[in-house]
Amino acid sequence: MPNAEPVITMRGVKKSFPGAMALKGVDFTLQKGEIHALLGENGAGKSTLIKILTGVYERDQGEILLDGTPIHPRNPQDAQKIGISCVHQEINLCPNLTVAENIFIGREPMKFGAIDWKTVNKKSYEIMKGFGLDIDVTKTADSYSAAIQQMVVIARATEISAKVLVLDEPTSSLTAVEAKKLFDTMRALKEKGAGIIFVTHFLDQVYEVSDSITILRGGEYVGTYKASELPKIELVAKMIGKEYKELDEANVRSGKAVSGEPFLSVEDASSSEISDVSLVARKEEVLGLSGLLGSGRTEIARMIFGVDPALSGTIKVKGQKVKIKSALSAMRLGMAFCPEERKKEGIIGDLSIRENIVLALQAKRGIFHLVPRAEAERLADLYIEKLAIKTPSREQSIKNLSGGNQQKAIVARWLAANPELLILDEPTRGIDIGAKAELQKLVITLAGGGMAIIFISSEIDEMLRCCQRMVVLRDKSIAGELDGDISESRIMSFIAGGADSAKS
Amino acid sequence: MKKNFALIVTGLLFALLFGAGVAVYGFKLSTFLNLFNTNAYLIIVSVGVTFVLLTGGIDISVASNVAFTCMFLAVTMRAGLSPLLMIPLALAVGTGAGLLMGYLIQNFNLQPFIVTLAGQFFLRGLCAVISTESIAISNSFYTFMSLGKITLGRGNNIYFYVFIALAILAGAGFILNFTKFGRGVYAAGGSEQSALLMGLPVKRIKTLVYAVSGFCAALGGVVYSFGTPAGYSLQNMGLEMDAISSAVIGGTLLSGGAGTVAGTTLGVLIQGIIQTSVTYQNLNTWWTKVMNAALLCVFIAIQRVLAARAEKAKTAKPAISKA
């Protein structure tokens, strides 16, 4: 029931960072009882806008009104006090505290001057049950999976009974079923009159729950639309400022059975995390590893790359039997692995883009063969240009880049090491549609140039676009292999295991 | 559960060592009580340091704080001032020093190690400026506090000041487990970024832990002066490391977020047992340090192994629950 009763009004909000103008005067209005999607490419300023609203950053200019009163939240605590709470993309939990505590910390019910743990635990259990999770809330948060942790964060935010709830990419670590549950919760909150700002890269989800859509591009306000009146194609065009057709070029190669020579073959290999893996990765080919979150995709990649080394079975590289005992030995064999959690396992925030890019090459050569500065600069410039990394200079600290650009820099790092096999684990998670298309195109181009690629992604569209062959996983084992005739329904049927297919 | 586990391991180790002491040297109840009598001040100091370690910080100024408190009390007692006024003043000064360090660390985003190192030099230096001589304390209140004890049968004594340590232990346990500040300490140590985004006053918490540590150090100093009624500028050198190692043996992670004051106390007592054994064996007292060092290494290795095993148990589970 969107009516003309704004809860948040932002006018002419400006913010700049050293070397970049993040917001160039943005307007944004959130009504009571609406779900409002905030969309834009990486670096469009969504995150900055949200961080200003929630008090993480201070704005340089402009005004924010909450129920008509100007506000200046100086930190997230301030923002929470006036009724603005936020769920971020990264899971913000204290891993050492219990689930119950994570929901209630800072607002624990007190009894006789002491925290009333009984009530905390009882209420938390009920709250999680309301989300359909029947779990032991007295266990620490780190004993649960990422998806459950994210639900805990959301439970906390909704429990604060906020006037304004900001959800910044809340679904990137959730399964389809869990995301559905979250949407139900969002709708229930909306009915109660809360205003919800929803940031996501999944456009289907935007249309599933949102009432209105505001688009930002390059730090500027593009417009606000009713979700029902804005076709998806037009939305994408507005977000990236160009026609959608370009994105579909990538389709050309898909489905064609191009097979080069096998670069890697794995036979009945098992690691501590996964068993009985057999697959072949060929040159000039993108091999997809498909399956739900936790189905064992990443575990296979980690085994191949020697992070969790294979304990049994045979691994051959170019026909030669090899033992891959560490990541370094995998690198020496010509492999590269671009991991899923780039913040945790990938980037080194304080180093410059140049340093981050040459890191893998340096490791491969060994510390006594320093990559010369001139070569490093040349490589950095080359890949910044080739992958269109948006940065003022190659000497910029990588942490200052947006998510998509960080991801590109990591891909660049592995490309700089000139691998023959490149493993990409969720390379496009959390990055915008333009950067996604660029990365997909890059993957296909690289395969075309003779590289063998193993591609892992949760997005079936993307897999269909990029992969020539696909190995489908279910519950930590290989459910089947698709060659040539790859379609969404076939993948789904493998994932669902022929039983009641949960196509959603 | 995890924290209880570390506590149980420490408790078992304590029981094991004490049992061995009973078997080999004939430890008695009096030996047990004397562990408290001789280490009461260290328990207090270590409990304070545990607060700081739980947030992921470090405080190496506490030994100097202890020495300064003793020196301050010795000088003011010599001047004939009332201990009932000067002890609270000494506590206020110690707390203030901790608060100031916490403020500097948080507000200027400085390294805790450096700031508390400066605090260590400053307070130790101040002691020597006051006097390089040892100054004895003698007045009726001190006589009462240093000799007052409860006797449980022959030779089994508990000095009154041990109860100060026990009260601090109970108070700290309550604060850490049942107050918002206490839970905030764990949250800030577990994930500072998350705690911040959850709206916890992280800056205030991380400032206040140094004040807690400063208070405990000063109170530890007061208790030390009850046991050894004198002020001397070079006393208790290196005590800060004893406090930190007690906490670590007791299961506190230096990275923050895990640990208990009960564990820390056991850590102090374990080191006390080693010291007692070394004395019984008629060895050079430096063997205490050697033994402590070995124990410390063993302990952190055990912690690492347990943590790795827990990690493994977790990843072995399927990542999605059938919700």
Side-chain angles (χ1 to χ4, degrees), chain A residues 93-102 121 135-144 148 152, chain B residues 1-2 313-314 317:
Chain A
L93 279 184
C94 292
N96 56 329
L97 302 185
T98 67
V99 168
E101 210 172 353
N102 270 296
N121 290 335
I135 57 172
D136 181 359
V137 293
T138 62
K139 277 187 157 177
T140 52
D142 64 359
S143 48
Y144 292 106
I148 291 178
V152 174
Chain B
M1 200 197 106
K2 217 193 278 172
K314 193 180 77 197
K317 268 187 294 188

Side-chain angles (χ1 to χ4, degrees), chain B:
Chain B
M1 200 197 106
K2 217 193 278 172
K3 78 175 180 193
N4 289 341
F5 194 71
L7 194 57
I8 290 165
V9 171
T10 318
L12 283 177
L13 184 77
F14 173 76
L16 200 77
L17 285 177
F18 196 83
V22 171
V24 180
Y25 305 114
F27 280 6
K28 293 189 289 278
L29 175 63
S30 62
T31 323
F32 181 74
L33 296 178
N34 278 333
L35 285 179
F36 285 91
N37 289 333
T38 44
N39 291 303
Y41 75 104
L42 183 55
I43 291 176
I44 299 173
V45 174
S46 304
V47 162
V49 166
T50 305
F51 275 75
V52 175
L53 297 179
L54 281 173
T55 63
I58 197 161
D59 186 351
I60 54 169
S61 71
V62 289
S64 301
N65 207 335
V66 168
F68 177 75
T69 305
C70 292
M71 184 56 96
F72 177 84
L73 287 171
V75 169
T76 51
M77 294 302 103
R78 191 172 62 179
L81 295 164
S82 161
L84 296 179
L85 281 175
M86 285 307 117
I87 288 174
L89 186 59
L91 293 179
V93 170
T95 312
L99 191 62
L100 179 64
M101 287 185 278
Y103 175 81
L104 292 175
I105 291 164
Q106 291 309 312
N107 264 50
F108 301 103
N109 203 12
L110 302 173
Q111 293 287 340
F113 187 91
I114 294 303
V115 174
T116 58
L117 181 66
Q120 183 190 70
F121 288 166
F122 183 81
L123 290 169
R124 187 68 73 176
L126 220 49
C127 282
V129 168
I130 294 171
S131 170
T132 49
E133 303 287 306
S134 175
I135 303 172
I137 305 176
S138 58
N139 64 41
S140 55
F141 177 77
Y142 260 85
T143 314
F144 171 73
M145 281 314 292
S146 62
L147 298 178
K149 63 194 172 195
I150 296 174
T151 305
L152 311 161
R154 243 162 38 114
N156 298 329
N157 300 318
I158 309 173
Y159 286 88
F160 287 163
Y161 52 73
V162 170
F163 293 100
I164 299 176
L166 296 179
I168 285 294
L169 178 61
F174 178 80
I175 288 172
L176 285 177
N177 289 302
F178 292 97
T179 67
K180 292 186 182 181
F181 169 69
R183 298 322 292 171
V185 168
Y186 282 96
S191 169
E192 180 168 354
Q193 185 63 17
S194 296
L196 210 59
L197 289 170
M198 283 175 169
L200 298 181
V202 173
K203 213 166 168 173
R204 198 165 70 211
I205 290 167
K206 291 187 74 171
T207 306
L208 283 178
V209 288
Y210 290 92
V212 170
S213 178
F215 171 80
C216 288
L219 186 62
V222 171
V223 168
Y224 184 81
S225 72
F226 289 156
T228 313
Y232 178 48
S233 64
L234 295 178
Q235 54 136 292
N236 279 318
M237 293 290 259
L239 181 79
E240 67 278 358
M241 294 305 160
D242 292 337
I244 292 168
S245 59
S246 296
V248 170
I249 290 173
T252 303
L253 296 182
L254 287 188
S255 50
T260 56
V261 283
T264 299
T265 305
L266 283 172
V268 172
L269 297 181
I270 286 171
Q271 299 197 55
I273 293 179
I274 291 174
Q275 197 166 13
T276 312
S277 310
V278 167
T279 322
Y280 270 66
Q281 198 69 278
N282 261 330
L283 287 170
N284 182 327
T285 50
W286 282 103
W287 278 105
T288 314
K289 289 275 175 217
V290 175
M291 295 295 289
N292 276 345
L295 192 66
L296 202 57
C297 290
V298 169
F299 241 76
I300 47 183
I302 291 175
Q303 280 180 3
R304 212 43 252 167
V305 170
L306 290 175
R309 195 169 291 173
E311 190 70 22
K312 199 145 214 185
K314 193 180 77 197
T315 46
K317 268 187 294 188
I320 329 169
S321 78
K322 304 279 183 295

